[in-house]
Amino acid sequence: MGLMLLSVLFAVMAYATYANDIHLLLDKMTLGEKIGQMVQIDISYFMIPNTAKVNYTLMESYIRQYPIGSMLNSPFSGGPVEGKTGWTASEWRELMKDIAQIVKDNTKLNIPVIYGIDSIHGATFVKGAALFPQAINIGATFNPSIALSVGEITSKDTRAAGIPWIFAPVLGLGLQPLWARFAETFGEDPYLAAQLGASVITGLQNSEKYFGNTTPKKTAACMKHFIAYSIPQDGHDRSPVQLPDRLLRELYLPSFQAAIDANVLTAMESYQEVGGVPMVSSKDYLTNLIRKEMNFTGFLVTDYAEIENLHNWHMVSSTQKEAVLLAMQDTTIDMSMVPLDSTFYEYLYQLVQEGNVNISRIDESVLRILEVKKELGLFDMELDPAEDNSLTQSVGEQADWDVSLLGAEESITLVKNNVVNGQAVLPFSKGTTTKVLLTGPTANSSASQTGGWSIHWQGIYYEYEENKKVTVLRGLQTALTEANVVYTPGPALDATSTTGIDFTAITALAQDVDVIVVCVGEGTYAEKPGDINDLALPQGQIDYISELATLTGKPIVTIMIAGRPRLFHTAVSVSSAVLLAYQPGPLGGQAITEILLGTVIPSGRLPFTYPQDEGNVMIPYHHKYSDQCVVSTGFHSTSYIQCIPEWTFGTGLSYTSFVYSNLQLSATTINENQDITISVDVENTGNYDAKHTVMMFVYDLYRRVTPEYKLLKRSVLYFFVLYQKTN
Ligand code: BGC
Ligand code: BGC
């Protein structure tokens, strides 16, 4: 008896010691156990095909043979299975417990699996969790505290599902408007992306709000995609990138460095090649830059199937085995998102045995992975039922949805608001008695509002759960009553013309309305399936707006609901007011309605430069002085000017007005180590209390390396109440 008790105690102690000393654990590991840690497998590999059931027999025998360190994804990422759209937090926890049990029963060392998931704008794959506006909207809020809350709630809901690792945030800059992942960025500015990205990471990793003491951390963030994935030359997802070193350091690196400074625990590399070298085999970026220059000490995972892609897609290695060798030799990649077979494991095992990959290379990676597992408390994680319940019950709570609504309200950007008959078109002057003709392909689409990574990878393609969706149609009907809202769908999203639209009927419908609200834009997509060949809004949508304006003579309010800046062409000039909603989330229609009515004063600001024409794209506000366009000034006469976008970075109107005065500098010359204090008085001189972001740009007049036109250095969102003057 005494002896048995002793050995049980000893086992418990040994387990606890691993948590404190991962080197001790490493010493006990066989080569297979080490390589296993570096393997990440997609859960879909373990599913019984076309069912929502896990094949546990397969998982068990697989883990016995390959003691893998990680799994990812949701079986529902491709769409509903067996009529189910996703797992609840409790259902996820069952899976996590089952995996933990299988690891315990079938591996000698019982090293916990780290499960990773794409909780992109909220816990995408946890049923019932709040979904937030996409990152581009968070960019438009200019509000780090919203980014922080989004991170905290996303962490809470993901951890409620028992999942400790989140593949977010995206830290690439939104500079290439064609790119299908534009909406996943915070926009084109390095300062803004760094500030908001670090706030999301702090929310994800240090959410004391929900977890109290956050040692160990509850979820790990993953900065992605390292690096410069967001600027494909041809605009297509995963296409080659040119990356001059100076631009890398000035523009693309700061957001990632801010993430490292915020202690981000993991990183993901990216799909594209740079100057002929795939990122996944790049010594420059994945060894020298990320580790030596930027001092990233967390673990680095590949993107999906990227090592395989060295052979299949990048054409740099003639065999899969050579692909593994390349990635191991040239980079510091720690984990391969394999994701659907055991080839990475097998080849790496052979490469070490043959002496082509040194065991010290493997040990380094395994230690980095074990360190993160330790920081997340996975070694001593008991799935405590009490914690389960409180977290599970909080998934999708009202407070979370309030943040989603606030994010939509603060992001929607008013870019045009004409005065018609002596009165600004917005907000509606007749308030809730306004009569509206509502039309357009995104007017009643929660799929357009939520975009990709919503319930499923490509987004929802059916209507969202009733109680949490507010399309523009529903928002207006609720606020103005159904009697005051006439609705007709208008052209399809991809209409190339207005042929077939009954304008006689629509003109009749418009007869007694005060205003026409047209919602245009895009459907839902994610990653490469969202590639387009033309940045313009489909011609049918553009023509529809013009024809409505000409035929009805009513003021037109155009609302763009799209994940990237689809070109308006003639649609701006015929509209009396224009709102950019980006992808404002399930409650976007409510936020839009509030702004139309003036119950919310718009404060969103464009986080990127909105191009006007096909040729003049990728000219961000921080372009060079010599980026110039030509205008005709008469017969055979031209002049060169700064190119004119549709709207520049930072554009965003309000219903009130602000006056800036009394700019003061604490010094007029400083050296590079000195601080400077800059102040300005800002007064709300209009008629409404309102939020407003004050931005500070700097520029160099002359510089040996050509200066940016200007560059944002600080921005702060304030709430300005009206200031009553007493004389
Ligand atoms: C995407 C990543 C994502 C990964 C895992 C990839 O296709 O590029 O952003 O985290 O899949 O789902
Ligand atoms: C052109 C040259 C030309 C020169 C003199 C420049 O603007 O770029 O091609 O030879 O003018 O006319």
Side-chain angles (χ1 to χ4, degrees), residues 72 118 167 181 224-225 238 268 271 303 337 527:
L72 86 152
D118 292 290
F167 302 138
R181 308 189 72 167
K224 71 184 190 185
H225 310 80
R238 308 187 183 187
M268 188 186 295
Y271 279 127
D303 206 338
M337 194 184 284
E527 298 190 49

Side-chain angles (χ1 to χ4, degrees), residues 313-378:
W313 170 265
H314 298 300
M315 320 312 278
V316 299
S317 56
S318 57
T319 64
Q320 291 292 357
K321 188 171 171 182
E322 191 193 337
V324 175
L325 178 64
L326 260 186
M328 286 300 117
Q329 267 179 345
D330 288 353
T331 77
T332 60
I333 284 166
D334 301 305
M335 184 182 281
S336 172
M337 194 184 284
V338 177
L340 293 170
D341 59 37
S342 45
T343 51
F344 173 79
Y345 181 101
E346 300 286 3
Y347 291 136
L348 187 51
Y349 199 99
Q350 290 167 19
L351 287 163
V352 176
Q353 284 198 317
E354 292 158 6
N356 291 314
V357 172
N358 203 302
I359 188 71
S360 62
R361 168 70 181 81
I362 306 291
D363 287 351
E364 263 173 41
S365 283
V366 175
L367 279 175
R368 288 195 199 105
I369 294 166
L370 294 178
E371 178 63 35
V372 169
K373 290 186 175 183
K374 181 179 135 187
E375 286 220 36
L376 287 167
L378 300 188

